Amino acid sequence: MATDVVELILADHRRFEELFRALRDRTSDRGALLGELSALLVAHAEAEESEVYPALRRFKKVDDDEIDHGAEEHAEGHQALLSLLEVRDTASQEWEDKLEDLVKALSHHVDEEERTILNDARDTVPDQRRAELGKAFTKARGDRLNADCGSITHVRTLVNTP
């Protein structure tokens, strides 16, 4: 199992993409898939913000503005996620529209984060430190998943906290 924080984050990004493809399939169990996506997305963002982003600020070649922007995009993603979670009918056009809003927001964030923060981290942060960050990220993400962080109640709290 990978311990490099960059590889772990990239693996989550690929899982988001898989879940989006499955969520677009009208024959899938959209409710269950959305529950998985919500939990993973929130746990991932919270683990990045608590463990990874603060540590990366210490490296000169990792742009602090990009880290701040990444956190802002997490907040935008949480808002789009909440909008989707609030739609009850997974077969409705409203649900489809909200899903596409979430896909657009998250795809934009993933692309930017991979091109800037993660590439800089791969080039700048020593292997051992990336492994340490990977362990901290994995633990924080697991703790958040165990705390039911993807529940609509928790997502509402994230969105409504200034």
Side-chain angles (χ1 to χ4, degrees):
M1 181 175 159
T3 57
D4 181 322
V5 70
V6 173
E7 297 307 316
L8 292 166
I9 291 171
L10 291 173
D12 278 358
H13 289 176
R14 300 299 76 83
R15 182 65 185 145
F16 297 149
E17 292 163 357
E18 291 168 5
L19 288 166
F20 284 146
R21 280 191 292 279
L23 283 163
R24 285 177 167 140
D25 178 355
R26 291 178 181 257
T27 64
S28 66
D29 182 348
R30 287 176 154 179
L33 290 166
L34 181 56
E36 181 183 346
L37 175 67
S38 182
L40 183 59
L41 183 59
V42 171
H44 174 95
E46 289 183 336
E48 279 185 340
E49 289 183 30
S50 68
E51 302 299 327
V52 180
Y53 284 4
L56 292 181
R57 287 185 186 281
R58 297 183 187 103
F59 292 89
K60 289 181 183 175
K61 299 249 182 187
V62 178
D63 188 331
D64 284 355
D65 290 337
E66 289 297 335
I67 292 172
D68 292 340
H69 185 64
E72 290 167 8
E73 288 180 342
H74 286 166
E76 292 168 8
H78 292 144
Q79 178 63 59
L81 175 62
L82 179 60
S83 293
L84 180 59
L85 289 168
E86 289 177 335
V87 179
R88 294 200 185 274
D89 182 1
T90 62
S92 70
Q93 186 59 50
E94 180 185 15
W95 197 91
E96 298 282 342
D97 293 344
K98 299 295 183 184
L99 174 62
E100 291 311 310
D101 291 344
L102 177 58
V103 168
K104 183 178 176 183
L106 195 60
S107 296
H108 170 82
H109 169 68
V110 163
D111 176 59
E112 277 192 356
E113 185 176 70
E114 288 180 7
R115 284 185 298 107
T116 59
I117 297 169
L118 297 181
N119 278 341
D120 289 348
R122 186 180 283 127
D123 293 342
T124 305
V125 180
D127 293 351
Q128 181 178 345
R129 184 64 179 132
R130 288 198 320 268
E132 292 167 357
L133 288 173
K135 288 177 187 168
F137 172 79
T138 299
K139 182 181 181 326
R141 188 177 61 134
D143 290 347
R144 299 307 306 139
L145 287 169
N146 290 334
D148 195 25
C149 67
S151 71
I152 193 168
T153 303
H154 183 70
V155 177
R156 276 191 185 116
T157 300
L158 291 173
V159 168
N160 294 320
T161 302

